Amino acid sequence: MAIASDAPTTARSATPPGLRLPVLVQTLLFGQYRSWLLPVLRRRYGDLFTMRIAPTGRLVVLLSRPEDIRTVFTGPATVFHAGEGNAILGPVMGEHSVLLVDEDKHRRVRRLLMPAFHGTALRGYQDLVARLAVAEVDRWPIGRTFRAHERMNALTLEIILQVVFGVTDQARLATLRPLVRGIVAIGPMIMLGWFYPRLQGIGPWKRYMTFQRELDGHETTATTLAWCLHELARRPAVLAAAQRAADAHDDEYLSAVAKEALRKRPVIYEVARRLTEPVDIGGYRIPAGSVVAPAIGLVQTDPNNHPEPEDFRPERFIDAQPAANTWIPFGGGVRRCLGAGFSLMEASVVLGEVLRRYDVRPDRSRPEHQRARNITLVPARGARISVAPRSA
Ligand code: HEM
């Protein structure tokens, strides 16, 4: 097979360099510490490096150059299987989830889902999102530190239940809420069950599998909103600009705040495709059966792609658009996130309601780091902030 990236090619036999620890150790490190580990491995091994992941020790090739990522996102769906790449999510999502199927079946499921995420549909949800946001943020305590992530989770759960599932009946809402909370709180033990499917018939793993994970949309947006407030609270000038945008109902700027949070603090650190045939990437021939993984977190914090990546500058998304394949928080190609437009709409509506009311302050100046929570990365201390009524 001769799918090739634009990168200069050299040897086409060896696989890229990578970690040599036992598979179980690599798997646990990857599961729990990927946002710390992957930058270290990139510094050590270069732009392409490998890990081996349980249960079979499958080769995973992490990619961080835009041109290599482009090869993956533009390659044929018959060769780059995202459904198989996501197989680890099977117990969480249910095996028929759009995330877990490939080729024709994927195209069919995706086409069915598409209208629900279309622009006109999104505008229809906007008022309901705003109403639920007002009900939530009006209840926030004044002058007392709280975890923004917790409050945003509660809000986006309410939104997903009412907007996406159309649940408005109070009794049903009351039964669904705790179920969803149980699902979101996955620890390392449950994750082991993903890697070792035989565990899935037993105890906590079995219980966990009983609820399907289409609800996952809700937690990713909540995390993005929590990071927005975490970053704004530490930057008075950007906060003031965002408050002016909120007052002017300038959704473009508020959406740029969310995009910048998704760049600097991506909720999902990498996406995966399993190869059905060997593919040439970055001078290597990657064997069939391995997984190639565009590393969202690496490409988005590379100073070659985004100067001063540690800064928080929503203007990056207003003055110009980032170059292709350098901002990929929603993945790419035929598998790009269907909820991207919805999430950005939801984030700017919610930010507008918060920022029209409050000044936002951090509980301490040191920023929080990203902690792994199942397949997502969340603020380690819950994005602690306090709010006060707007002074100006
Ligand atoms: C900030 C919030 C969100 C982030 C960062 C996010 C991120 C992602 C990523 C990285 C993928 C995999 C893309 C790939 O493999 O190339 C994905 C897929 C998907 N997401 Fe999201 N997501 C978010 C919110 C949502 C929401 C709110 C929904 C629905 C209500 C949603 C529905 C989906 C679906 C259906 C897919 C599968 C697409 C396919 O396989 O064809 N997402 N998302």
Side-chain angles (χ1 to χ4, degrees):
M1 159 81 225
I3 293 177
S5 80
D6 299 337
T9 50
T10 50
R12 289 205 183 279
S13 51
T15 50
L19 262 190
R20 298 211 179 167
L21 296 169
V23 167
L24 187 57
V25 176
Q26 295 201 38
T27 304
L28 286 173
L29 280 174
F30 181 75
Q32 288 299 296
Y33 303 108
R34 55 193 175 278
S35 63
W36 165 84
L37 178 72
L38 267 51
V40 171
L41 295 183
R42 187 192 190 182
R43 277 196 295 279
R44 177 156 171 193
Y45 296 115
D47 291 324
L48 275 84
F49 58 88
T50 57
M51 294 190 71
R52 295 218 172 244
I53 299 295
T56 55
R58 171 168 294 155
L59 189 73
V60 177
V61 184
L62 279 305
L63 307 174
S64 55
R65 282 191 308 198
E67 62 267 36
D68 296 336
I69 292 173
R70 178 177 173 275
T71 306
V72 175
F73 286 161
T74 57
T78 47
V79 176
F80 294 89
H81 272 189
E84 279 191 81
N86 291 333
I88 184 183
L89 299 175
V92 195
M93 305 284 191
E95 64 194 73
H96 300 296
S97 161
V98 61
L99 281 162
L100 300 179
V101 291
D102 282 306
E103 300 188 32
D104 288 348
K105 189 161 181 197
H106 168 255
R107 243 197 334 268
R108 274 199 307 277
V109 181
R110 196 172 160 107
R111 204 174 297 144
L112 285 175
L113 288 171
M114 213 79 112
F117 294 100
H118 206 260
T120 354
L122 291 191
R123 277 190 292 281
Y125 305 135
Q126 211 156 332
D127 287 348
L128 179 57
V129 172
R131 236 180 8 257
L132 295 172
V134 169
E136 166 63 33
V137 303
D138 272 349
R139 290 204 310 259
W140 284 3
I142 303 296
R144 211 179 66 225
T145 298
F146 65 97
R147 291 186 177 88
H149 193 217
E150 227 166 62
R151 295 322 312 154
M152 289 304 186
N153 264 329
L155 171 58
T156 56
L157 168 58
E158 209 64 34
I159 293 173
I160 203 89
L161 290 177
Q162 296 206 25
V163 175
V164 179
F165 296 99
V167 183
T168 46
D169 168 339
Q170 284 306 315
R172 276 189 73 203
L173 280 173
T175 25
L176 279 174
R177 277 189 206 110
L179 270 176
V180 179
R181 269 196 291 274
I183 275 176
V184 169
I186 311 176
M189 290 305 288
I190 295 287
M191 279 191 76
L192 263 189
W194 299 357
F195 296 113
Y196 293 99
R198 255 184 303 168
L199 290 175
Q200 287 159 17
I202 313 169
W205 292 287
K206 190 170 179 183
R207 201 168 336 121
Y208 180 75
M209 285 170 62
T210 54
F211 203 87
Q212 312 259 300
R213 192 69 201 275
E214 256 81 31
L215 290 162
D216 194 46
H218 107 85
E219 162 142 297
T220 47
T221 318
T223 305
T224 303
L225 278 162
W227 282 121
C228 287
L229 296 182
H230 171 278
E231 297 288 342
L232 291 175
R234 283 167 175 74
R235 292 175 176 78
V238 188
L239 174 63
Q243 285 172 325
R244 281 195 300 277
D247 293 345
H249 291 267
D250 173 0
D251 282 349
E252 193 195 356
Y253 192 89
L254 297 176
S255 174
V257 170
K259 288 177 182 171
E260 177 67 341
L262 280 162
R263 180 196 67 78
K264 192 178 167 195
R265 310 285 202 160
V267 183
I268 294 176
Y269 206 87
E270 75 292 309
V271 291
R273 306 286 187 266
R274 182 158 186 265
L275 302 181
T276 60
E277 297 176 24
V279 172
D280 295 339
I281 300 183
Y284 294 96
R285 173 147 297 177
I286 315 292
S290 7
V291 167
V292 288
I296 298 171
L298 294 181
V299 76
Q300 293 186 165
T301 52
D302 185 334
N304 294 317
N305 303 328
H306 305 277
E308 283 125 32
E310 284 312 303
D311 271 8
F312 187 81
R313 293 207 301 251
E315 287 73 16
R316 293 182 208 269
F317 297 89
I318 290 181
D319 304 338
Q321 289 309 311
N325 298 306
T326 62
W327 184 77
I328 51 166
F330 296 107
V334 292
R335 308 300 297 231
R336 186 171 187 269
C337 175
L338 273 172
F342 181 82
S343 297
L344 291 173
M345 177 277 288
E346 185 181 12
S348 37
V349 170
V350 173
L351 280 177
E353 298 305 338
V354 174
L355 299 173
R356 275 192 286 281
R357 284 168 179 71
Y358 300 123
D359 283 326
V360 187
R361 301 278 172 258
D363 74 322
R364 60 175 196 188
S365 56
R366 191 147 43 97
E368 296 185 23
H369 63 263
Q370 290 165 286
R371 180 171 65 80
R373 179 146 120 184
N374 58 66
I375 55 159
T376 69
L377 294 170
V378 299
R381 300 172 65 248
R384 291 181 202 214
I385 55 162
S386 64
V387 296
R390 286 266 297 272
S391 48

